[in-house]
Amino acid sequence: SVQRRHQKVVEEAPSPAVDETLRQQMGEAAVNAAKACNYVGAGTVEFLLAPEGDFFFLEMNTRLQVEHPVTELVTGQDLVAWQIKVARGETLPLSQEQVQLRGHAMEVRLYAEDPAQNYMPQTGPVLKWQPAEGDGVRIDHGLAQGYSVGSHYDPMLAKIIAFGDSREDARRRLIRAVEETVLMGVNDNRAFLAAILRHPVFAQGQATTAFIGGDFADDASLLGNGPAPFLWALAALLHCRSQTPADGLRGWHSSSVGAQPVTLRSGEHSHTLYVTFEGSEARIVMADQSIQVALGVDGQAIVDGVRLPFTLVQDGNSYWLQCRGQTACFEDTTHLAAGASDQAGSGQIRAPMDGAVIEVCARAGEPVKRGQVLVIMEAMKMEHSLKADCDGQVENIDLTVGDQVKRQQVLVTLSPDEA
């Protein structure tokens, strides 16, 4: 498995690091562990495998685990049904010798989190949910459109699993399934998962439990630097069309047809794009890059001559857009008054998500330095320290341990020191 903070992110069967002999030895050790404590029922024994081939007992869970679908797919057996049979006192339908492995299966865990923001758990409404389909694709989930992702549980939303005749078949199918799954309304880790699956170290079967903190972390761009330019351009065009439905009026100026500025924000990133309409197409300039975009029929766009399907959901002043395996939420800030948005150093410390206050580290009237921890929150099994964004004095902090707070709620107000 590929792991982060000892939590599995990608799981597969059979393991590329385990041969038949090692699998037999691990199986015997697992059975002996269960016999030693007279355990009866479905259970999972975990081992750590050292580079030289030795393995060590880690733990036993008296249940099926999240990764049980990959075992089901390569064995063709229903482990949940087996679990129920054992609980009823029935015998297992097959002996160990009759269990045969066929093909390869991979699974990733879809999380409500933002990998680019230190994997911060995310909350919000599910505006659109459309799991991928296709041969060899299985998605286990309990999501529905209109569901609200809260802060009281683990951030895992679904399991995306793919099966193929070979490991490479399963890997390619899983990439497609991850990128074709549509989830809008809450940030998630799909781009992060696809980047792992595409990484050459993983593709070669060489990834270890330290992969994300090592080989993968060495390339910071894999965690995301905001939406790709083509996505910004498509968002700008869709925004212009929604603001001016009539084709003949788009980009109209009293003197001539000129470039229309559109300022969009996506997370921590903001860009001003200049849209010039040229018949049925638009030329969109972002920084020093020019992109030609036209809208086709049935949710398709033509970007620099390439036809791309996209999905769009508008939520008030925000646009959730998915295209080419990328999903981003854009907000129109073209006419936002200067200083109307919260900037770093504003002195307003907001909750990054729904959660509970577990420690208050400052008091009203107390002087603080930038970077000093003011409040510690807990959400989705993780602790998050909220720090002062400027030097100053605590003006207001009306919090007690145990308080439940909402995302973007102002928790602490500072009076910044004068420069």
Side-chain angles (χ1 to χ4, degrees):
S1 62
V2 171
Q3 301 185 10
R4 183 182 65 81
R5 296 176 181 167
H6 308 294
Q7 184 73 29
K8 295 164 191 167
V9 177
V10 185
E11 298 136 321
E12 61 180 304
S15 167
V18 178
D19 58 23
E20 192 58 42
T21 300
L22 183 56
R23 184 175 296 106
Q24 180 74 20
Q25 293 172 346
M26 284 184 168
E28 290 176 357
V31 170
N32 290 336
K35 286 180 176 179
C37 61
N38 297 317
Y39 180 73
V40 177
T44 310
V45 180
E46 295 191 10
F47 300 99
L48 286 175
L49 180 64
E52 57 274 10
D54 296 327
F55 65 92
F56 304 89
F57 174 80
L58 178 63
E59 66 178 1
M60 178 177 178
N61 290 286
T62 55
R63 55 178 172 82
L64 295 179
Q65 297 206 165
V66 174
E67 61 269 30
H68 83 269
V70 294
T71 304
E72 290 189 337
L73 289 172
V74 297
T75 61
Q77 307 302 323
D78 185 338
L79 297 185
V80 175
W82 282 32
Q83 182 179 29
I84 294 171
K85 285 180 180 293
V86 172
R88 288 174 176 169
E90 301 176 17
T91 58
L92 293 176
L94 297 176
S95 67
Q96 183 63 55
E97 293 71 26
Q98 292 175 301
V99 177
Q100 300 295 319
L101 303 185
R102 181 183 67 85
H104 202 98
M106 285 185 185
E107 170 185 300
V108 292
R109 302 185 182 194
L110 178 64
Y111 283 123
E113 67 180 13
D114 187 351
Q117 299 296 323
N118 196 29
Y119 305 94
M120 182 79 72
Q122 304 290 298
T123 59
V126 178
L127 301 176
K128 189 174 182 64
W129 166 246
Q130 186 177 322
E133 298 177 341
D135 290 342
V137 174
R138 165 178 165 177
I139 299 185
D140 293 0
H141 70 94
L143 288 178
Q145 209 154 291
Y147 175 79
S148 180
V149 177
S151 62
H152 305 294
Y153 302 99
D154 184 281
M156 186 172 69
L157 301 176
K159 299 183 285 187
I160 305 177
I161 314 113
F163 173 81
D165 292 334
S166 67
R167 184 177 188 272
E168 183 63 8
D169 287 342
R171 186 182 73 89
R172 289 178 176 272
R173 278 181 173 172
L174 188 53
I175 293 172
R176 181 184 61 80
V178 168
E179 294 186 337
E180 290 186 359
T181 292
V182 176
L183 174 61
M184 295 183 176
V186 60
N187 291 323
D188 63 82
N189 66 336
R190 277 171 296 159
F192 171 67
L193 296 173
I196 291 175
L197 296 171
R198 282 196 169 95
H199 196 283
V201 172
F202 180 85
Q204 294 162 11
Q206 301 298 314
T208 69
T209 54
F211 168 73
I212 290 179
D215 297 299
F216 193 81
D218 289 340
D219 187 350
S221 66
L222 295 173
L223 291 179
N225 292 316
F230 82 89
L231 209 59
W232 287 97
L234 180 54
L237 176 58
L238 291 168
H239 169 72
C240 289
R241 289 181 65 93
S242 69
Q243 297 300 306
T244 312
D247 291 340
L249 295 178
R250 293 194 193 105
W252 182 87
H253 285 233
S254 59
S255 55
S256 63
V257 174
Q260 177 179 344
V262 177
T263 302
L264 300 176
R265 181 169 60 200
S266 180
E268 300 298 316
H269 305 275
S270 180
H271 289 287
T272 297
L273 302 95
Y274 296 89
V275 184
T276 303
F277 288 94
E278 303 170 343
S280 60
E281 291 188 338
R283 180 169 57 86
I284 300 172
V285 176
M286 173 178 161
D288 58 352
Q289 187 169 357
S290 178
I291 303 171
Q292 291 289 134
V293 185
L295 296 182
V297 295
D298 299 328
Q300 293 198 356
I302 303 170
V303 180
D304 287 336
V306 179
R307 189 176 298 274
L308 303 173
F310 69 89
T311 303
L312 174 70
V313 173
Q314 186 170 352
D315 181 32
N317 197 40
S318 298
Y319 299 83
W320 284 87
L321 179 62
Q322 178 167 331
C323 183
R324 213 181 220 174
Q326 292 194 34
T327 302
C329 180
F330 296 93
E331 181 184 359
D332 172 33
T333 59
T334 306
H335 303 294
L336 192 66
S341 61
D342 293 326
Q343 301 294 326
S346 68
Q348 288 197 328
I349 312 302
R350 297 175 180 269
M353 72 205 75
D354 294 1
V357 175
I358 62 172
E359 188 174 350
V360 180
C361 308
R363 293 176 296 179
E366 184 176 296
V368 295
K369 292 291 185 181
R370 184 171 184 173
Q372 181 177 333
V373 176
L374 305 177
V375 179
I376 300 177
M377 287 179 56
E378 183 179 55
M380 294 181 175
K381 297 184 179 180
M382 294 178 63
E383 291 186 5
H384 305 276
S385 298
L386 308 187
K387 302 177 181 180
D389 61 1
C390 62
D391 294 345
Q393 189 175 49
V394 178
E395 182 177 305
N396 182 48
I397 181 170
D398 186 17
L399 293 171
T400 57
V401 173
D403 283 353
Q404 294 289 329
V405 297
K406 292 292 186 181
R407 181 175 180 271
Q408 291 302 306
Q409 179 180 334
V410 177
L411 304 184
V412 185
T413 302
L414 305 177
S415 296
D417 289 343
E418 294 183 5

